[in-house]
Amino acid sequence: MKRADVEELFRRLRELDPKPTTELEYDTPFQLLIAVILSAQATDVGVNKATRKLYPKAGTPQAILKLGEDGLKRYINTIGLFNAKAKNVIATCRILIEQHDGEVPRDRAALEALPGVGRKTANVVLNTAFGEPTIAVDTHIFRVSNRTGLAPGKTVHAVEQKLLKVVPKEFMQDAHHWLILHGRYVCKARKPDCPHCVLADLCRFKSKTKADA
């Protein structure tokens, strides 16, 4: 995609949504971290339903650690892979307390050292909680980047590296959320809504859908 088209793409997304953010509900960097850990292979809606009950009772690493693994499971058992996630969350809370004074570190290496936290989760926390210009490539961003021609790549890491190069600096902070939301609601996996897409004329996707008759 030409640089002028890239700039136009993000101008249009910004015009639609000037202040995009995650759909996960949280009040602190810690709550965002836990929500993102829980969101792996789960929907934001499902995670929010669980954390709305969990956080008023246990919204800090100390409080969740006090719940224990079995106590935590009672709050998150509607989320996929909840057994493994409960184990990771408890271990993460313990490390945060013992090594980081109960605070979420603003450091990629320290974040990725936490159980259940990979590069994508670390990027989400760095971008959303701490305002770092990072891009966490999930399935939505991977799909949009490849379909549009914005940053084609065969792996999420390749797409991430291309996005970091091609996204103009003025759009970098919010690019992560714009691309996720566009993939979630417009450039959907099975049937992208090309007729109502504001990026259709810029997009390189050859199999564009047509408006229903």
Side-chain angles (χ1 to χ4, degrees):
M1 187 177 285
K2 297 177 181 178
R3 183 164 186 81
D5 288 344
V6 173
E7 292 178 351
E8 179 62 19
L9 179 150
F10 283 107
R11 274 197 293 270
R12 293 181 189 180
L13 293 178
R14 181 173 62 187
E15 186 175 342
L16 282 175
D17 189 357
K19 294 185 181 295
T21 189
T22 180
E23 293 186 323
L24 291 170
E25 298 172 1
Y26 70 98
D27 290 323
T28 66
F30 169 73
Q31 291 179 4
L32 175 63
L33 171 64
I34 299 306
V36 179
I37 292 174
L38 295 176
S39 72
Q41 298 182 49
T43 66
D44 289 359
V45 171
V47 172
N48 288 337
K49 285 181 179 178
T51 57
R52 283 173 197 156
K53 297 177 181 178
L54 172 64
Y55 289 157
K57 299 290 185 179
T60 66
Q62 294 85 352
I64 288 182
L65 196 59
K66 189 174 181 180
L67 277 181
E69 196 171 319
D70 289 337
L72 176 59
K73 286 179 184 179
R74 289 197 289 270
Y75 287 96
I76 67 170
N77 59 14
T78 55
I79 299 174
L81 306 175
F82 71 91
N83 285 311
K85 290 175 181 178
K87 184 176 181 179
N88 285 335
V89 167
I90 291 297
T92 285
C93 290
R94 186 173 290 112
I95 292 173
L96 290 178
I97 293 168
E98 294 176 353
Q99 300 181 20
H100 303 288
D101 297 320
E103 299 295 325
V104 176
R106 189 172 180 169
D107 175 80
R108 178 184 298 283
L111 283 168
E112 290 188 23
L114 298 170
V117 177
R119 185 177 183 85
K120 184 181 78 172
T121 296
N123 277 338
V124 172
V125 173
L126 289 170
N127 176 265
T128 305
F130 298 125
E132 299 286 343
T134 62
I135 297 179
V137 179
D138 68 349
T139 56
H140 298 301
I141 292 182
F142 185 81
R143 181 171 64 254
V144 171
S145 297
N146 276 285
R147 276 182 177 170
T148 60
L150 172 64
K154 293 184 178 180
T155 67
V156 292
H157 185 69
V159 169
E160 179 186 332
Q161 294 307 306
K162 284 190 178 181
L163 285 170
L164 292 174
K165 290 180 180 178
V166 304
V167 177
K169 187 176 180 180
E170 70 171 295
F171 300 112
M172 184 63 77
Q173 176 60 43
D174 294 320
H176 166 80
H177 295 301
W178 281 319
L179 294 174
I180 283 180
L181 294 171
H182 189 70
R184 184 173 290 166
Y185 296 112
V186 182
C187 194
K188 294 172 282 191
R190 293 186 178 181
K191 189 179 180 182
D193 190 10
C194 301
H196 298 101
C197 176
V198 298
L199 310 178
D201 59 313
L202 304 173
C203 176
R204 303 294 191 268
F205 186 46
K206 293 180 181 179
S207 303
K208 288 188 175 71
T209 56
K210 297 180 179 180
D212 294 332

